[in-house]
């Protein structure tokens, strides 16, 4: 019984930690994902059906990721021998990200190769699973997009998953990531309201360039770190 009480106490501390991480990381979440959330949710406000479905799906996806992290943490030791081989590749990825972030910061626009539609991507959009998703109601599509948010390569998100991996059982890992998702939602809601307000005031192209430069600065700084 004492062991279970100690485990519950530790899990509660992990949930509180993730909650504080989500609150403190609000500006980071707003800068990195605010525009993307606005694009998925459309023109609706922070309490629109699409926005609520997006965040419900995002929290559910985070919880599933937390449960998986708490379950599979014991298998991490098997990947230790591969770490020296992966470090050069990881470094090259960040060097490329630094170059891309510098370009975005300097020009205020995405590179042409990143903006042009690819024939392969266009063909992928006609695949049967994609067509089925496109027939779903808008809130369902937003919720599905939110459920995939756990796959976003975000340092803050990965840090929260590491906290969830310390949970004593899968339910504890899920609770940790759900707390993180709920707390970080506040920053995303505020970001969407600010984004909609900026779109309706002044020169939209200038604001878009500022947003791209801010994203480039964040990408450059995080990759350099």
């Amino acid at each position: 019984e004492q062991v279970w009480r100690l485990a519950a106490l530790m899990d509660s501390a992990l949930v509180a930690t993730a909650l504080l991480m989500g609150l403190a990381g609000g500006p980071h979440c707003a800068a990195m994902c605010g525009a993307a959330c606005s694009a998925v949710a459309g023109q609706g406000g922070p309490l629109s059906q699409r926005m609520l479905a997006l965040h419900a799906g995002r929290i559910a996806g985070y919880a599933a990721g937390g449960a998986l992290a708490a379950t599979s943490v014991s298998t991490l030791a098997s990947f230790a021998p591969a770490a020296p081989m992966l470090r050069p590749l990881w470094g090259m990825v960040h060097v490329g990200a630094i170059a891309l972030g510098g370009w975005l910061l300097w020009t205020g626009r995405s590179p042409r190769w990143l903006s042009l539609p690819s024939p392969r991507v266009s063909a992928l959009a006609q695949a049967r699973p994609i067509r089925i998703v496109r027939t779903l109601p808008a809130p369902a599509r937003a919720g599905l997009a939110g459920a995939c948010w756990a796959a976003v390569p975000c340092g803050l998100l990965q840090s929260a998953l590491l906290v969830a991996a310390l949970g004593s059982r899968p339910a504890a890992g899920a609770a940790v990531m759900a707390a993180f998702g709920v707390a970080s939602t506040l920053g995303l809601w505020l970001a969407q309201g600010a984004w909609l307000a900026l779109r309706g005031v002044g020169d939209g192209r200038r604001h878009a360039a500022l947003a791209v430069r801010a994203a480039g600065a964040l990408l450059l700084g995080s990759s350099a770190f």
Side-chain angles (χ1 to χ4, degrees):
E1 185 178 355
Q2 276 188 328
V3 173
W4 283 108
R5 286 182 178 178
L6 181 60
L9 182 62
M10 293 178 62
D11 290 338
S12 299
L14 294 176
V15 170
T17 299
L19 189 68
L20 292 175
M21 286 176 66
L23 292 174
H28 167 88
C29 296
M32 298 298 290
C33 296
C37 284
S38 297
V40 172
Q43 299 295 326
L47 296 180
S48 66
Q49 284 188 341
R50 289 174 65 175
M51 180 58 81
L52 292 175
L54 169 66
H55 288 299
R58 189 174 65 88
I59 293 169
Y62 282 5
L68 181 62
T71 303
S72 59
V73 69
S74 60
T75 65
L76 290 178
S78 62
F79 293 97
M85 294 182 289
L86 294 177
R87 283 173 190 154
L89 177 62
W90 186 241
M92 291 171 61
V93 168
H94 280 294
V95 169
I98 289 172
L100 177 59
W103 170 271
L104 296 175
L105 179 61
W106 179 260
T107 64
R109 59 182 175 85
S110 60
R112 186 174 178 82
W113 58 266
L114 195 59
S115 303
L116 290 176
S118 168
R120 291 183 179 180
V121 173
S122 300
L124 180 63
Q126 301 304 318
R128 184 176 179 82
I130 302 298
R131 283 185 292 166
I132 292 175
V133 169
R134 291 169 64 181
T135 62
L136 296 174
R141 292 199 306 270
L144 186 59
C148 298
W149 221 268
V152 172
C154 168
L156 182 62
L157 174 60
Q158 301 306 320
S159 299
L161 283 171
L162 287 176
V163 175
L166 300 176
S168 61
R169 57 191 187 279
V176 168
M177 288 306 297
F180 173 78
V182 169
S184 59
T185 298
L186 178 61
L188 293 174
W189 267 339
L190 294 176
Q192 190 209 12
W195 181 254
L196 292 175
L198 283 175
R199 290 179 62 180
V201 177
D203 187 356
R205 288 176 300 178
R206 183 172 65 86
H207 292 144
L210 288 175
V212 170
R213 285 194 169 95
L218 288 170
L219 179 60
L220 191 155
S222 60
S223 296
F225 176 79

